[in-house]
Amino acid sequence: MDQYKVIGKSPPRKDSKDKVKGKVKYVNDINTVGMLHTALKTSPHAHAKIISIDIAEAMEKPGVRKVITGEDIPYIVGLYLGDKYPLALGKVRHYGEAVAAVIADSEREALEALDAIKISYEELSPVRSIEEAMNEDAALVHEELDTYQHIDGIYPEGDSNVANRTKIRKGDIDLGFEESDFIIEDTFSYPQGDHVALETRAAIAEIKEDGQVIITSTSQAPFVVRSLMSSFFNIEPGKITVTAPPLGGGFGGKAGIQLEGLAYLLSKAVEGKPVKVVNTREQDMMASPGRIGFEGKVKLGCKKDGEIMAMKLHYMFDTGAYADYSVNISRAAAIACTGPYNVPHLTCDSLCVYTNHPFTNAYRGFGHLELAFAIERALDVMADKLGMDSAELRKKNAIKAGDTSPTNSVMDENTGDLSKCIDRVKELIQWEEGTYIPLGENKVRAKGMGCLWKAPAMPTNTDAGAILTFNEDGSINLNCSIVEIGQGTGTGLAQILAEKFKMDLEKIHIVTDINTRVAPHDWATAASRSLFMAGRAVMEAAEDALTQIKETAAAVLRCPSEDLDVAEERVFIKDEPHIGLDLKDVVLGYVYENGNAIRGQIIGRGRYIARRITGIDKETGEGKPALEWTLGAEAVEVELDLKDYSYKILKSACVMDVGKVIHPDLARGQVVGAMSMGLSLATDEAYVFNSRGQVLNNDLRSFKIMRYGEMPEYLVDFVETPQGDGPYGARGLGEQGIIGIPAAVINALSKAMGMQLKELPLTPENLWRARKEENTI
Amino acid sequence: MKTYKDYEAINLSINGETRKVIIKHSDTLLRVLREKLGLTGGKPGCENGDCGACTILLDGKPVKSCMMLAIEAIDKNITTIEGLSNTEIQKAFVEYGGFQCGYCTSGFLLNAYALLETHPDADDDTIKEWLQSNLCRCTGYEGISKAIKTAQKKKAGI
């Protein structure tokens, strides 16, 4: 049973002690003498022409060194689609957009100068919803969309508000509906919100005399920052160094490029002096990207016995004013559009739509969260129509090895066991006890389910690396480029290395500040691919180092290197284990008694690049874009008061097939944290707009996330169908726990209310409204 | 009544030490701790009193240091996370996963520490009332809750 020494155990996180002592240094904790500080002036309008900006008075304020406006820095900084300037130029496209920046000796002085900047706007009528954006005579958020540069695989539609459209065509959709006995058609939606990482985004930039650009930033993707900085500002990549210290939460919001470009341009404006840009909470929610909004139209056809025959899907994502990551979120949602079910006949159009809302980027779940909300809600509606248990309907159609995905790629033997997950989650939530249980006259307990699947949405050449160096005591420095964003992957990677060396975890030291100058290349700490991909790189690096160690030892011990093994900080002859050397005497070169030394230090090198991934066809979506799929089932139990529509989430359960659990406590922590985000999103998190497109709840007092005491009982279990190519069989699990939860909550409340709810957030007020509207129809 | 001018040197009692620091009268305690004294354990999560990441103890009571001025802390005993060592609550946070990213952790720890000092036998409602002033986005509060209950038992010798 206990086959492994470290894998599958839960040692303390490597960063534990510093984190409970306040010793971890985050970006905004860095202050140096001489560093300049900044403040941003933002737009009060959702859509307006900038007529003039008068900075003269602000320039005279104490401590002010420069005031910068969009005209001073007319660079395009869009992530995938070149639609954005670092500071608005010509026009503002959303409430809270950054328009001008003050650079001053202190943050206080910068803030105090903001009021002295006089901006004159001419208000334009804002595009306030997906529906308005898709109207034929809609105002255009970007008039020049067809001239924008963009990456391959993104298809903006000029003269419209569509930033990207991804198409999936599989089977014969007409035939599919002809063969269906039951068809339902409905629309499910939820508005934009925010990541609410407790740490707001920050970046520090400095330019050296030889043109070296030094960036320290709250980034999940320091290598992406380096690469994009190079292309946006025409700087040699080798002259850019990006450091990402541990982050105070990311959730996707710190992926891509954030404040780094602006910080660089501001530093450039003051002769390369170090400049720090830090978001206030309000700016983090408004001027930096938040969570995408969604509207999904689902037409679903089933046989009498529940077999799904056809799906016609129309997904529309509210990216807000700029596309950022969101053009890829809509694409990821198309690639996975059916949820974890086998669907023979299928069409999906997934659109990324511009509005004059705040812009959005990656958010935990990345498209899969949204599509799961639509599909899982539709399945419950269908189950009601069929008179079938909704869990049974899911199980009947659960995707398995040999089936084809929406992009027509065959699900391989690594496909997780969704049916097993459903069965186990039913046990955890006591599904068989009943999913609708009246409690007296005005109270009811109800249960709802939502299944999930997710594949990393990433470039086909996504890679990871690992470098191992050694210390005099034989301990190992593990240099990987996975940013610590709270998930603790560094500890998991150290476990993998310790397992390979059969060594105590204490003897593995991890690099925590990721510096692109010294760390191996790595795409990004995103898409739940870190443990898988960096884990593979660590395994290769370990093999590389072990081979070198054995070669040195073989020379000294005068034996073939293949006769040697390494464990417990020794290298020894397998069948004569008393003959061996301590690792500490080998890893920096072996020194003979007479002083002669051989071979020198061990440096382990490992790398991994995604295997056999392709893009997808523009017209049909055909291709193999997925590295691996994590599948799972989730369920919640709610108790609803039918008089005032207040409710409590009593239990929240998740069972995922993660291949292999490397660190049970950290795995559970990821799942529980993800579920809590999903619960909070479903019950309360949404931007509230007024008729002018201004956001009314851009702080944490009015934008409510879950607080202590509001959490349910969390129930978590794992299924372990090994991922053949994953490290020790593991696959990704960081984001997944959020995906099925919003659907599970709305399904439970729909059951409790005896009606089909269709929108988030599910505040008591909105439930009351839904009931009232139903009664008036 | 003493008045304070533009910039002034004041003494603050922090973690048992007296620290002299030059401040502006309108500086918040959080900014002075972080920017003048290098005590960066307290975080500016919102600087609006909503998130609790800046929580410190003032004469043993949890206070949001972004919501008060440094001059208000004169003649009071300030405890920051840097002054809390090897307590049951810190050990329990490590053991039960009371944190992930660590950004809210200092605030939660100080609040929870003060709670257990003030109400060693706090029931669920009391714990909730105290800890609702802090936000955590990573953990779903499961680890925090387990950690507090464990530390409470350990302190009571159970």
Side-chain angles (χ1 to χ4, degrees):
Chain A
M1 180 69 199
D2 207 9
Q3 160 189 14
Y4 297 119
K5 179 178 159 67
V6 198
I7 300 290
K9 312 253 184 334
S10 292
R13 298 169 60 113
K14 288 272 178 192
D15 52 6
S16 293
K17 288 187 175 162
D18 281 346
K19 279 190 172 168
V20 297
K21 186 69 178 163
K23 279 194 176 173
V24 174
K25 288 287 176 194
Y26 303 84
V27 173
N28 190 23
D29 296 337
I30 302 167
N31 276 310
T32 54
V33 176
M35 177 183 279
L36 296 174
H37 299 264
T38 59
L40 298 178
K41 178 94 171 170
T42 60
S43 165
H45 304 300
H47 199 191
K49 268 188 202 159
I50 300 171
I51 304 300
S52 65
I53 305 179
D54 183 356
I55 63 167
E57 191 189 330
M59 284 291 292
E60 299 306 313
K61 291 283 178 188
V64 172
R65 299 295 152 219
K66 272 271 164 64
V67 179
I68 302 294
T69 68
E71 284 183 4
D72 301 318
I73 46 174
Y75 294 92
I76 300 282
V77 294
L79 176 72
Y80 289 149
L81 174 58
D83 61 1
K84 186 171 173 19
Y85 297 105
L87 295 172
L89 181 56
K91 144 169 166 168
V92 291
R93 294 186 173 86
H94 66 88
Y95 174 74
E97 180 166 6
V99 182
V102 178
I103 308 169
D105 295 340
S106 68
E107 192 178 338
R108 165 205 295 277
E109 286 163 320
L111 283 164
E112 281 173 357
L114 288 180
D115 279 349
I117 301 174
K118 304 295 177 204
I119 306 178
S120 151
Y121 295 99
E122 178 190 325
E123 273 193 75
L124 304 167
S125 122
V127 178
R128 295 171 304 175
S129 65
I130 292 172
E131 194 187 346
E132 283 187 14
M134 295 302 291
N135 270 345
E136 268 185 30
D137 53 353
L140 295 180
V141 179
H142 292 268
E143 292 89 347
E144 287 152 11
L145 177 57
D146 53 358
T147 67
Y148 291 168
Q149 300 280 312
H150 58 83
I151 60 159
D152 291 343
I154 299 297
Y155 309 106
E157 299 179 354
D159 209 24
S160 84
N161 287 315
V162 177
N164 189 22
R165 180 191 298 261
T166 307
K167 288 192 252 184
I168 302 288
R169 303 288 181 266
K170 180 183 169 189
D172 180 341
I173 190 75
D174 294 332
L175 181 70
F177 284 117
E178 268 168 41
E179 290 182 346
S180 299
D181 299 315
F182 290 92
I183 295 173
I184 61 135
E185 198 168 357
D186 230 322
T187 300
F188 310 103
S189 66
Y190 59 84
Q192 288 186 341
D194 193 66
H195 307 82
V196 192
L198 260 287
E199 173 202 38
T200 63
R201 296 166 179 92
I204 301 166
E206 182 177 3
I207 307 166
K208 301 286 193 189
E209 272 317 288
D210 61 354
Q212 299 278 339
V213 177
I214 315 294
I215 304 278
T216 304
S217 118
T218 57
S219 175
Q220 293 177 236
F223 289 90
V224 170
V225 170
R226 182 177 77 183
S227 163
L228 291 179
M229 293 269 302
S230 168
S231 77
F232 292 162
F233 310 120
N234 198 23
I235 313 166
E236 288 172 51
K239 288 200 163 178
I240 304 168
T241 305
V242 183
T243 300
L247 307 191
F251 314 113
K254 292 166 181 166
I257 186 163
Q258 300 290 325
L259 298 172
E260 298 86 359
L262 179 62
Y264 160 73
L265 294 168
L266 297 182
S267 172
K268 202 174 162 191
V270 289
E271 291 97 39
K273 291 193 185 85
V275 169
K276 178 153 103 172
V277 182
V278 183
N279 276 344
T280 63
R281 173 55 60 187
E282 291 76 7
Q283 281 165 4
D284 209 55
M285 295 176 82
M286 293 292 105
S288 285
R291 171 178 57 70
I292 207 163
F294 174 69
E295 187 178 307
K297 288 183 190 162
V298 179
K299 184 178 175 186
L300 168 64
C302 280
K303 291 276 204 196
K304 264 184 248 159
D305 64 357
E307 184 186 356
I308 297 174
M309 297 308 297
M311 281 188 190
K312 185 177 180 203
L313 307 170
H314 192 74
Y315 294 157
M316 290 187 291
F317 287 85
D318 179 359
T319 183
Y322 301 103
D324 202 283
Y325 247 117
S326 299
V327 282
N328 198 24
I329 295 177
S330 59
R331 180 178 182 271
I335 287 167
C337 60
T338 55
Y341 306 105
N342 186 37
V343 181
H345 306 292
L346 164 70
T347 70
C348 173
D349 278 56
S350 186
L351 281 65
C352 181
V353 179
Y354 284 125
T355 64
N356 289 116
H357 288 161
F359 78 116
T360 58
N361 76 336
Y363 182 92
R364 197 176 208 164
F366 203 82
H368 303 76
L369 170 67
E370 292 79 7
L371 77 89
F373 176 68
I375 295 293
E376 298 297 325
R377 184 76 272 270
L379 283 175
D380 260 41
V381 174
M382 179 58 92
D384 282 353
K385 196 155 179 170
L386 293 167
M388 190 174 176
D389 175 69
S390 71
E392 277 313 298
L393 178 61
R394 290 180 168 88
K395 257 183 86 169
K396 186 173 183 62
N397 293 287
I399 201 157
K400 55 190 186 307
D403 291 342
T404 54
S405 78
T407 66
N408 242 326
S409 64
V410 177
M411 301 297 290
D412 63 20
E413 291 303 317
N414 294 322
T415 303
D417 191 338
L418 181 58
S419 288
K420 216 170 175 179
C421 294
I422 293 173
D423 284 342
R424 182 71 184 119
V425 91
K426 279 173 68 180
E427 282 171 27
L428 290 178
I429 205 84
Q430 294 173 286
W431 191 264
E432 300 298 350
E433 160 206 59
T435 56
Y436 180 88
I437 301 165
L439 307 168
E441 212 175 305
N442 289 314
K443 279 209 170 156
V444 58
R445 259 195 307 134
K447 294 163 193 172
M449 188 176 285
C451 289
L452 67 92
W453 73 342
K454 185 175 188 301
M458 60 191 199
T460 58
N461 62 343
T462 295
D463 69 338
I467 302 169
L468 308 180
T469 58
F470 290 79
N471 304 306
E472 291 85 342
D473 62 350
S475 63
I476 313 178
N477 305 310
L478 170 57
N479 184 1
C480 274
S481 300
I482 305 306
V483 181
E484 167 52 32
I485 59 176
Q487 84 286 39
T489 302
T491 302
L493 295 173
Q495 282 178 281
I496 289 171
L497 181 57
E499 191 67 51
K500 291 293 287 183
F501 271 78
K502 300 183 210 90
M503 178 190 256
D504 272 357
L505 195 61
E506 290 293 310
K507 286 294 179 85
I508 313 280
H509 305 286
I510 57 177
V511 175
T512 52
D513 287 18
I514 308 306
N515 176 323
T516 57
R517 175 75 73 220
V518 292
H521 188 268
D522 183 287
W523 170 61
T525 303
S528 304
R529 43 63 70 178
S530 298
L531 188 67
F532 184 123
M533 299 189 74
R536 281 292 302 266
V538 168
M539 291 184 76
E540 187 177 287
E543 287 297 339
D544 184 37
L546 287 167
T547 302
Q548 296 171 47
I549 287 167
K550 288 176 190 170
E551 279 169 2
T552 303
V556 178
L557 298 173
R558 281 158 288 178
C559 69
S561 65
E562 55 268 32
D563 289 5
L564 295 169
D565 200 359
V566 173
E568 307 298 341
E569 298 170 58
R570 282 183 77 238
V571 50
F572 55 86
I573 296 175
K574 280 179 213 168
D575 47 337
E576 289 185 272
H578 60 283
I579 302 174
L581 299 167
D582 288 341
L583 277 194
K584 68 182 170 52
D585 297 326
V586 176
V587 292
L588 296 180
Y590 185 80
V591 184
Y592 288 93
E593 272 181 25
N594 71 353
N596 291 173
I598 58 165
R599 291 197 181 263
Q601 67 177 306
I602 309 296
I603 302 177
R605 301 152 303 166
R607 65 243 160 106
Y608 181 77
I609 194 157
R611 185 176 85 188
R612 298 178 67 81
I613 294 182
T614 71
I616 57 171
D617 183 82
K618 186 186 175 189
E619 296 306 323
T620 66
E622 211 162 290
K624 190 195 174 290
L627 177 74
E628 46 94 356
W629 292 97
T630 300
L631 281 72
E634 301 189 287
V636 301
E637 181 177 20
V638 301
E639 185 178 303
L640 175 73
D641 185 322
L642 293 163
K643 274 192 306 197
D644 62 7
Y645 301 102
S646 64
Y647 63 94
K648 272 204 304 214
I649 313 263
L650 302 175
K651 289 177 183 168
S652 182
C654 176
V655 179
M656 262 197 271
D657 193 338
V658 300
K660 173 73 192 165
V661 180
I662 302 289
H663 189 301
D665 284 1
L666 286 179
R668 183 188 172 95
Q670 283 302 298
V671 172
V672 167
M675 282 201 282
S676 78
M677 273 184 103
L679 295 170
S680 190
L681 187 163
T683 54
D684 227 344
E685 290 182 24
Y687 282 152
V688 177
F689 296 93
N690 67 12
S691 61
R692 295 170 59 202
Q694 293 167 313
V695 178
L696 302 179
N697 55 343
N698 64 343
D699 58 49
L700 297 182
R701 190 157 303 183
S702 48
F703 186 93
K704 293 187 188 303
I705 68 169
M706 183 194 281
R707 283 183 185 268
Y708 186 95
E710 295 165 359
M711 68 284 195
E713 180 186 352
Y714 297 106
L715 305 161
V716 180
D717 204 355
F718 297 103
V719 171
E720 295 185 322
T721 307
Q723 179 72 28
D725 51 348
Y728 294 99
R731 61 176 79 88
L733 64 81
E735 295 167 83
Q736 282 79 356
I738 194 173
I739 292 173
I741 291 293
V745 175
I746 198 170
N747 285 341
L749 285 169
S750 293
K751 186 150 282 178
M753 290 183 61
M755 62 177 293
Q756 305 296 0
L757 297 163
K758 293 169 189 176
E759 285 170 40
L760 302 181
L762 298 158
T763 59
E765 183 187 334
N766 285 345
L767 295 182
W768 167 78
R769 230 176 262 287
R771 171 69 85 211
K772 205 171 141 216
E773 277 166 24
E774 184 199 45
N775 289 343
T776 54
I777 290 168
Chain B
M1 190 177 148
K2 186 161 168 50
T3 55
Y4 294 93
K5 294 193 292 271
D6 193 16
Y7 284 93
E8 181 144 359
I10 60 168
N11 286 319
L12 292 175
S13 166
I14 305 172
N15 302 329
E17 296 171 346
T18 300
R19 302 285 303 264
K20 181 166 251 182
V21 59
I22 295 169
I23 61 147
K24 215 171 171 184
H25 52 212
S26 56
D27 284 339
T28 62
L29 179 58
L30 174 68
R31 289 281 178 149
V32 169
L33 291 173
R34 286 175 53 79
E35 294 168 9
K36 305 276 170 69
L37 295 164
L39 298 168
T40 55
K43 304 297 181 195
C46 66
E47 298 198 278
N48 196 35
D50 299 328
C51 79
C54 65
T55 303
I56 52 101
L57 303 184
L58 205 61
D59 290 340
K61 290 203 179 75
V63 169
K64 289 171 177 171
S65 64
C66 76
M67 298 294 280
M68 66 178 290
L69 302 175
I71 50 170
E72 293 177 284
I74 294 169
D75 296 332
K76 296 198 161 51
N77 290 308
I78 300 166
T79 308
T80 70
I81 191 65
E82 290 86 354
L84 217 60
S85 283
N86 216 18
T87 60
E88 291 300 343
I89 191 69
Q90 283 167 300
K91 286 188 261 179
F93 260 57
V94 171
E95 192 177 346
Y96 291 94
F99 61 87
Q100 286 179 21
C101 81
Y103 207 76
C104 71
T105 310
S106 306
F108 261 106
L109 280 169
L110 286 161
N111 196 356
Y113 175 81
L115 164 66
L116 296 179
E117 290 293 307
T118 316
H119 301 289
D121 50 1
D123 59 11
D124 282 356
D125 284 345
T126 309
I127 296 173
K128 179 175 165 178
E129 193 185 336
W130 275 60
L131 293 188
Q132 284 222 317
S133 64
N134 294 55
L135 287 174
C136 169
R137 190 58 155 172
C138 296
T139 64
Y141 304 103
E142 182 183 59
I144 296 173
S145 166
K146 281 185 189 165
I148 288 170
K149 283 170 187 171
T150 304
Q152 189 174 28
K153 281 184 196 150
K154 284 253 174 76
K155 274 173 71 81
I158 302 168

